[in-house]
Amino acid sequence: GKRVAITRPTAQSQSWETALRNAGAICETIPLIQIDQPDDEGFSFEHAMRKIHEYAWVICTSSNGASRVAPYLPKHSSHVQLAAVGESTAQAFGREVAFIPQSATGRALALEFPRTDGKVLLVQAQETNGDVVRTLRDREINIEVVAAYQTKQRNLSAEEINRMQQCDAVLFASGSAVRSWVAQTKAETIGAVVVIGDATLQVAKSCGL
């Protein structure tokens, strides 16, 4: 009977809606962010995908990135190995993933990533802070970086804000969603704040939630 707000983009919310409804919750799906093409309209990403066979590894730090890479992966056996920041990102590839860090964070991914002499492609969001890249390069890994998408704030209506503030809990799956909420509501009190992991937790804390 609890009312729960899901703030992910609608296409990514279905599994959460199903699980919550099966547990008896009433779901309010109100996306706080939207996924768009990067500023170069995906030119750099498309160029990297056309030469994907040249890389020893492809790393994705989000399910959004992995879902964009998936259609370009060779249908048959390939020497390209896949690495994902966590299980949901691994699932978005739609095939076997060779490496997932013990903790689903970019820092853990960069520190634990296997040493390789081959060329590595890192696929991420345009607005990513660059910590993963710096750590990998500090480890002397030959890394190329490409933005597959960018995350933008989705503007809420007054009615949507009111609905979210009436919920018993609000689920945040990214720091971008947290920042969108705070920017549009000045972090006004809502129900229980639930976050997907440590990176989102740190953003929530820094924003006063």
Side-chain angles (χ1 to χ4, degrees):
K2 297 292 185 181
R3 190 173 295 276
V4 179
I6 302 173
T7 63
R8 305 180 87 177
T10 303
Q12 299 173 357
S13 297
Q14 294 175 355
S15 62
W16 283 19
E17 286 182 16
T18 299
L20 287 162
R21 288 195 174 114
N22 288 343
I26 301 165
C27 294
E28 295 274 8
T29 299
I30 305 174
L32 282 168
I33 57 173
Q34 58 191 37
I35 307 301
D36 289 339
Q37 286 276 60
D39 288 341
D40 70 352
E41 298 298 327
F43 176 82
S44 298
F45 173 73
E46 292 286 345
H47 178 70
M49 291 300 98
R50 284 196 293 270
K51 58 174 185 174
I52 194 169
H53 60 279
E54 296 180 8
Y55 300 101
W57 285 85
V58 174
I59 304 174
C60 283
T61 56
S62 71
S63 56
N64 285 312
S67 64
R68 280 161 173 72
V69 170
Y72 296 92
L73 294 172
K75 289 185 170 62
H76 305 293
S77 60
S78 170
H79 74 281
V80 179
Q81 298 191 86
L82 303 176
V85 71
E87 291 292 342
S88 62
T89 301
Q91 291 174 12
F93 276 121
R95 62 185 63 198
E96 183 179 354
V97 172
F99 173 74
I100 302 174
Q102 293 184 354
S103 174
T105 66
R107 176 175 172 76
L109 172 65
L111 290 174
E112 297 173 18
F113 184 73
R115 289 202 169 275
T116 176
D117 294 328
K119 190 160 58 172
V120 177
L121 178 68
L122 174 62
V123 179
Q124 57 185 8
Q126 178 176 295
E127 63 276 8
T128 304
N129 62 22
D131 288 346
V132 173
V133 178
R134 283 189 290 272
T135 301
L136 288 170
R137 285 181 175 156
D138 286 345
R139 296 182 56 210
E140 299 183 346
I141 289 173
N142 181 13
I143 186 90
E144 290 185 17
V145 187
V146 66
Y149 64 96
Q150 63 175 311
T151 303
K152 292 185 176 180
Q153 175 179 302
R154 175 181 170 271
N155 295 326
L156 302 175
S157 67
E159 184 268 341
E160 287 176 319
I161 291 173
N162 182 64
R163 279 164 55 201
M164 286 182 66
Q165 289 179 328
Q166 300 304 313
C167 287
D168 298 289
V170 179
L171 311 188
F172 293 101
S174 68
S176 299
V178 171
R179 285 187 283 267
S180 173
W181 172 257
V182 172
Q184 298 185 74
T185 67
K186 298 185 173 68
E188 293 175 12
T189 303
I190 53 178
V193 175
V194 183
V195 298
I196 199 168
D198 187 64
T200 307
L201 172 64
Q202 296 308 317
V203 174
K205 286 182 175 180
S206 70
C207 289
L209 294 183

